[in-house]
Amino acid sequence: MGFDVNRFQGPVDEELICPICSGVLQDPVQAPDCEHAFCRLCMNEWINRQPTCPLDRTPITAAQLLPAPRILRNLLSRLRIKCDNFVHGCQQDIKLDALMAHLEECEYNPKRPITCEQGCSLIIPKDEMKNHNCVRELRNLIQSQHQNVTEMRRELSEQQFQLNEQKREIHLLKDFMRAMRVSNPIMRDIAEQMERDEVARWSATLPRARVTRWGGMISTPDELLQTMIKRTLSEYNCPPHVINELMENCHERKWPAGLNSLETRQNSRRQYESYVCKRVPGKQAVIVLHCDNTHMPEDMTVEPGLVMIFAHGIE
Amino acid sequence: MATNIAAQRIKREFKEVIKSEEVSLYLNVAQCSIKVELVNDSCVELKGEIAGPPDTPYEGGNFILEIKIPETYPFNPPKVRFITKIWHPNISSITGAICLDILKDQWAAAMTLRTVLLSLQALLSAAEPDDPQDAVVAKQYKEQPEMFHQTAKHWTSVYAGGPSKMPELDEKIKRLTDMGIEEHNARDALSSYNWDLERATEQLFS
């Protein structure tokens, strides 16, 4: 719909008035044959009801409407119009083609977003500033955040529940597979392969460790130390079918020939650096898994792997 | 949006009619004049007035119109009807409803109150008996033009302040009112039966 004639200085030429809304043409279109011009919005509204020219009833369709000629648009753009916010105090007369740009930055626009400088720094429409209360706004904000947190907690616990359910199911499946393995040799192979894969996957999740002082190795750790390491392995998702074997292999009596006595260890010392060691997180201990160390001589590794506990010297 | 346009348009058109009124006063051609005034100061309802055109049975009469502006104006036509009773083939002698194409499917958004009132004035000069709103009037118009002319003139003088006096018609009405018939009903019945007193009486008492 067009602009109110009263917003313009002096009389506006009749040619620039939309015959539908009787305002000054806004975004004008023209009928193809009779060349009568109307506001685009007014004309769309009319043509939806009746496909004719509103002045002379020539049949026309929406697709036939043309943009108004340049001269008409130029005449319109030269008119000076009062700002939309003149009731709020804006005294400017703006050229019609600059109106949009002006409105975006008009400081009299009651809805212009401004930043609160009383402390809360929220961005609010200017006309709401008068009744603005930082404490109340922030309190509302906290309340809505609080609701979000509660909602997220609820979701979290729900997902935790689902996760536990799935873990339980996986556990059942594993038990089931183990039972099948016992009764079927092919299944046994498959299951062993899967277990080996599981160990390899677990190994990939652990960080590489570097031993700086091989001399710090404790070849005969006590029960307490062993329990502590075992708990850590379990916390870090060590596959349950290898954890006991691994822990048994933390003592020199279970170590392979190349490691099982002080004497053989002295002989193998030079090869220590070739080990691929994985860190037991947070502990002065490393895991030497068989699957990571197939390059080592046979008397230096053992299935599924061994644990070496140190007094110090692990990075 | 539509309501806004309607109000803006009506204000402008109101001024336009006032302006044309002043012009016609200045030219002293008051018999062609049209008038419009706001009802209750709203742009929703207006009262229109048209003078009966010269050389017609409506000459000298002033006809009042009820004009209702729909919310969707000017995309839909205003709703107009005659408040003043009138004898015309395209206007109901009972309700004042008007049969005029531009108030229906031939409406165009660029038409205004002024053009509507002028069209109605033109309708009074040139009836369309083949597209009637009042079949009784239309029949009389076609079959007994002289009778129609008399009746229309009589209605103009009674309801619209027209100048002509028709004592013989008044006499017939008086015969019926003496029998206890209400005057309007008596006139309606007589007009419908070509002022045949006997048939009008029969119809009124049947």
Side-chain angles (χ1 to χ4, degrees), chain A residues 160 162-172 237:
Chain A
Q160 193 71 51
Q162 280 178 2
L163 204 61
N164 287 339
E165 283 292 290
Q166 281 169 357
K167 269 188 191 161
R168 203 176 55 83
E169 244 168 71
I170 290 171
H171 212 82
L172 273 175
N237 302 320

Side-chain angles (χ1 to χ4, degrees), chain A residues 47-292:
Chain A
I47 225 164
N48 281 338
R49 291 159 202 260
Q50 207 170 299
T52 58
C53 169
L55 276 167
D56 57 20
R57 303 207 197 96
T58 318
I60 37 173
T61 64
Q64 291 172 322
L65 292 175
L66 303 166
R70 183 192 295 274
I71 179 166
L72 181 65
R73 283 182 282 136
N74 286 349
L75 285 173
L76 284 167
S77 70
R78 271 186 225 152
L79 295 176
R80 297 195 86 91
I81 185 170
K82 273 190 209 150
C83 172
D84 289 40
N85 301 313
F86 73 95
V87 287
H88 301 292
C90 185
Q91 296 294 325
Q92 286 202 53
D93 278 320
I94 307 120
K95 272 180 68 185
L96 198 51
D97 57 349
L99 183 64
M100 280 302 147
H102 168 78
L103 286 180
E104 268 181 22
E105 52 193 33
C106 176
E107 57 181 304
Y108 291 93
N109 177 3
K111 291 285 173 204
R112 192 165 60 98
I114 52 169
T115 309
C116 170
E117 281 164 3
Q118 293 164 28
C120 72
S121 297
L122 292 175
I123 293 169
I124 49 171
K126 195 178 159 196
D127 61 344
E128 284 172 27
M129 196 60 176
K130 204 168 47 176
N131 299 320
H132 173 71
N133 177 332
C134 294
V135 176
R136 189 183 54 210
E137 294 296 322
L138 290 176
R139 193 194 293 265
N140 288 345
L141 197 65
I142 289 172
Q143 204 168 10
S144 74
Q145 304 279 43
H146 189 76
Q147 271 169 4
N148 283 350
V149 171
T150 317
E151 179 64 17
M152 281 176 176
R153 280 217 186 105
R154 200 187 54 75
E155 262 172 43
L156 191 68
S157 72
E158 199 165 286
Q159 288 185 351
Q160 193 71 51
F161 175 75
Q162 280 178 2
L163 204 61
N164 287 339
E165 283 292 290
Q166 281 169 357
K167 269 188 191 161
R168 203 176 55 83
E169 244 168 71
I170 290 171
H171 212 82
L172 273 175
L173 282 172
K174 277 185 184 162
D175 284 349
F176 181 65
M177 279 166 57
R178 226 163 264 136
M180 288 187 48
R181 181 172 67 176
V182 174
S183 58
N184 184 328
I186 302 167
M187 288 300 288
R188 199 177 302 158
D189 290 345
I190 296 171
E192 273 169 11
Q193 182 59 45
M194 284 177 67
E195 284 182 352
R196 275 198 299 278
D197 288 351
E198 197 181 352
V199 173
R201 272 201 305 276
W202 174 61
S203 164
T205 66
L206 296 173
R208 274 290 286 272
R210 199 165 74 86
V211 181
T212 54
R213 287 165 197 268
W214 288 96
M217 189 191 295
I218 304 169
S219 54
T220 54
D222 59 19
E223 282 291 320
L224 191 70
L225 204 50
Q226 290 188 32
T227 315
M228 209 167 67
I229 299 297
K230 187 176 176 182
R231 192 182 302 145
T232 309
L233 287 183
S234 158
E235 274 172 25
Y236 283 88
N237 302 320
C238 174
H241 64 274
V242 293
I243 192 163
N244 286 332
E245 273 182 278
L246 276 178
M247 285 317 297
E248 274 170 27
N249 297 343
C250 72
H251 197 282
E252 68 172 10
R253 65 175 173 253
K254 284 278 191 170
W255 282 350
L259 292 173
N260 62 3
S261 70
L262 192 59
E263 196 186 336
T264 52
R265 284 201 293 278
Q266 287 289 355
N267 293 336
S268 318
R269 229 189 151 110
R270 270 167 286 111
Q271 302 187 48
Y272 281 168
E273 290 299 331
S274 310
Y275 273 133
V276 175
C277 304
K278 290 289 166 71
R279 181 83 193 261
V280 178
K283 298 282 180 275
Q284 289 291 320
V286 298
I287 308 161
V288 181
L289 287 167
H290 184 75
C291 62
D292 291 334

Side-chain angles (χ1 to χ4, degrees), chain B residues 112-177:
Chain B
T112 64
L113 292 177
R114 185 170 156 269
T115 56
V116 166
L117 293 181
L118 290 175
S119 299
L120 286 171
Q121 225 169 18
L123 183 68
L124 296 190
S125 311
E128 284 284 351
D130 292 325
D131 187 18
Q133 177 75 28
D134 194 312
V136 176
V137 184
K139 190 162 180 280
Q140 190 182 61
Y141 180 93
K142 289 211 301 207
E143 292 171 3
Q144 293 181 276
E146 190 46 41
M147 185 67 78
F148 164 81
H149 197 86
Q150 290 294 316
T151 312
K153 220 167 169 180
H154 172 71
W155 279 52
T156 304
S157 88
V158 173
Y159 297 117
S164 335
K165 292 282 172 272
M166 291 156 161
E168 71 279 23
L169 300 186
D170 290 337
E171 179 57 31
K172 285 185 179 172
I173 291 169
K174 189 165 182 306
R175 294 274 297 277
L176 284 175
T177 53

Side-chain angles (χ1 to χ4, degrees), chain B residues 67-142:
Chain B
I67 306 170
K68 288 191 169 161
I69 306 298
E71 237 175 77
T72 48
Y73 187 80
F75 300 107
N76 290 109
K79 294 187 173 64
V80 187
R81 79 181 181 92
F82 276 82
I83 301 272
T84 307
K85 283 171 79 70
I86 184 168
W87 193 254
H88 187 284
N90 303 107
I91 301 158
S92 165
S93 61
I94 300 156
T95 62
I98 303 164
C99 178
L100 180 60
D101 56 357
I102 62 151
L103 292 177
K104 292 170 183 163
D105 54 338
Q106 287 302 305
W107 169 255
M111 292 179 179
T112 64
L113 292 177
R114 185 170 156 269
T115 56
V116 166
L117 293 181
L118 290 175
S119 299
L120 286 171
Q121 225 169 18
L123 183 68
L124 296 190
S125 311
E128 284 284 351
D130 292 325
D131 187 18
Q133 177 75 28
D134 194 312
V136 176
V137 184
K139 190 162 180 280
Q140 190 182 61
Y141 180 93
K142 289 211 301 207

Side-chain angles (χ1 to χ4, degrees), chain A residues 1-5 14 17 19-23 41-42 45-46 49-50 53-55 57, chain B residues 1-2 4-5 8-9 12 15 72 74-76 101-102 104-111:
Chain A
M1 129 170 218
F3 303 99
D4 188 344
V5 191
E14 272 303 311
I17 302 286
I20 299 179
C21 66
S22 78
L41 284 180
C42 294
E45 182 96 26
W46 169 252
R49 291 159 202 260
Q50 207 170 299
C53 169
L55 276 167
R57 303 207 197 96
Chain B
M1 186 183 100
N4 248 339
I5 295 190
Q8 183 173 322
R9 275 271 311 241
R12 207 176 139 86
K15 279 186 206 150
T72 48
F75 300 107
N76 290 109
D101 56 357
I102 62 151
K104 292 170 183 163
D105 54 338
Q106 287 302 305
W107 169 255
M111 292 179 179

